[in-house]
Amino acid sequence: MSASDPSDAATPPPGRHASGPPAPEASTVGAPSPAAPDDGAALQFSLPMRIEHYTLHRVIAMGGMGVVFEAEQDQPRRAVAVKLMSRGLGSPDAEERFAMESQALATLHHPNIAQVFEAGTFEQGGRRLAWFSMELIEGAQTLSQWATAQKFSLRDRLLLMTVVCDAVEHAHRSGIVHRDLKPANILVDSNGVPRIIDFGVARWARTDTRHARTTPGMRIGTPEYMSPEQQSGRNELVDARSDVYALGVIIRQLLNDAATEHDPARLPPDIRTIIEKATHESRQRRYESAGALSEDLRRYLGNQPI
């Protein structure tokens, strides 16, 4: 989303969230607003609208990276979310990379990652645009909303984050770097199960950088959660440790919400050490993986040295 765009997404109807940001907690940058000119020109659509074997019924979220619709799939007949990316693919190389990335995303099967069912492209206004069909999560709240509503203790919040870290580790082992982890992209369903959503700006780490869809110098992600390498637009340096940085920021925010008067100094010293390592300016000084971060959180919870 462009810096001038005030929100990450429109708020969906109560009790229903797509695999896209459900609330304007923080803005994603890296692509023009849907109303911007050139490559991010406004998406033109009239509902209901057909894309392949999906009928798009209504907009449930809108942001700089695209528009999310509640849709119905023909076979199997089910409610899904379909996200149309606002930024055109632009070149044969970009289309090739998108095909590889979408295939990788479709292989991500994990109970704490919202499932991407299918992906493809279609032509609109002379541009080749990408689309994803994704799991539609019913009755969900963002990570922060859930923790607050449940009056979670610091320990409860840490346990929740170990589950999230394990899911991110699964994505990394599959070669996927999310690049936009934040509380709004982690939904908790009515059963208390967290799901990571919105891999719309994800990068397949195994793709040759010559096929990258990211323009050199372009900042991808949400500023508040961006690692230093993302902030500087050095996308060739973005890897699993960039997601670890975002996880560290999320943990700090989630725990500070539980601390008295939001005072970071009230956090246990070991937790401050874990957060400082996860969010270190240097990639080399961070945890090598989300799994390593999760292990240290579990050591703390088990009263073991970190």
Side-chain angles (χ1 to χ4, degrees):
M1 181 175 291
S2 61
S4 61
D5 204 338
S7 66
D8 187 31
T11 303
R16 173 164 288 190
H17 291 296
S19 296
E25 291 194 7
S27 298
T28 301
V29 301
S33 149
D38 197 29
D39 208 22
L43 292 170
Q44 302 295 325
F45 52 84
S46 178
L47 299 177
M49 170 181 169
R50 289 284 293 181
I51 293 181
E52 297 289 341
H53 40 278
Y54 297 93
T55 302
L56 282 53
H57 291 296
R58 63 192 180 97
V59 174
I60 52 177
M62 182 178 291
M65 299 306 297
V67 184
V68 182
F69 300 83
E70 182 180 341
E72 185 176 19
Q73 184 176 354
D74 292 344
Q75 293 294 332
R77 188 166 293 279
R78 60 183 172 183
V80 299
V82 172
K83 183 168 188 174
L84 305 186
M85 307 301 287
S86 62
R87 191 173 179 81
L89 292 174
S91 72
D93 271 359
E95 287 197 43
E96 179 184 351
R97 185 171 188 269
F98 170 74
M100 289 187 289
E101 286 180 342
S102 59
Q103 181 179 1
L105 287 172
T107 65
L108 282 180
H109 296 288
H110 191 278
N112 303 111
I113 295 177
Q115 182 66 44
V116 174
F117 297 131
E118 190 179 8
T121 62
F122 75 108
E123 193 82 22
Q124 187 190 74
R127 294 183 300 155
R128 176 65 64 177
L129 299 177
W131 60 267
F132 292 87
S133 68
M134 304 167 283
E135 180 180 4
L136 188 69
I137 301 175
E138 303 281 359
Q141 293 179 292
T142 69
L143 186 73
S144 302
Q145 291 169 343
W146 176 264
T148 299
Q150 298 298 314
K151 302 186 186 303
F152 271 4
S153 65
L154 184 143
R155 180 179 181 84
D156 293 330
R157 292 166 190 248
L158 287 175
L159 284 169
L160 190 61
M161 284 306 302
T162 62
V163 176
V164 172
C165 288
D166 290 345
V168 174
E169 174 69 10
H170 176 81
H172 290 169
R173 288 181 180 272
S174 300
I176 298 291
V177 180
H178 191 287
R179 297 204 291 181
D180 196 22
L181 290 170
K182 55 186 175 183
N185 279 345
I186 305 168
L187 298 184
V188 184
D189 67 21
S190 56
N191 295 316
V193 178
R195 309 273 189 85
I196 299 172
I197 65 168
D198 206 352
F199 281 82
V201 297
R203 174 179 179 180
W204 193 25
R206 298 171 187 171
T207 304
D208 190 314
T209 55
R210 291 173 300 175
H211 294 96
R213 286 187 289 124
T214 305
T215 303
M218 176 178 283
R219 295 163 64 235
I220 295 290
T222 300
E224 190 175 356
Y225 303 91
M226 279 184 185
S227 63
E229 57 271 19
Q230 289 173 281
Q231 289 279 6
S232 64
R234 301 190 64 187
N235 296 302
E236 74 280 3
L237 299 180
V238 172
D239 60 18
R241 292 167 292 184
S242 305
D243 280 351
V244 166
Y245 183 96
L247 288 169
V249 176
I250 294 169
I251 292 169
R252 181 172 59 217
Q253 290 182 343
L254 200 61
L255 299 189
N256 283 347
D257 286 345
T260 304
E261 298 179 350
H262 299 242
D263 183 359
R266 294 180 181 271
L267 295 178
D270 280 353
I271 290 299
R272 294 204 303 272
T273 297
I274 289 172
I275 292 171
E276 287 168 5
K277 182 172 181 178
T279 59
H280 200 283
E281 184 175 350
S282 169
R283 293 186 309 156
Q284 287 75 21
R285 300 284 296 277
R286 293 177 212 151
Y287 289 99
E288 284 291 321
S289 67
L293 171 57
S294 180
E295 286 174 12
D296 259 4
L297 292 176
R298 285 189 166 92
R299 287 192 188 97
Y300 170 79
L301 291 169
N303 295 316
Q304 298 175 346
I306 63 170

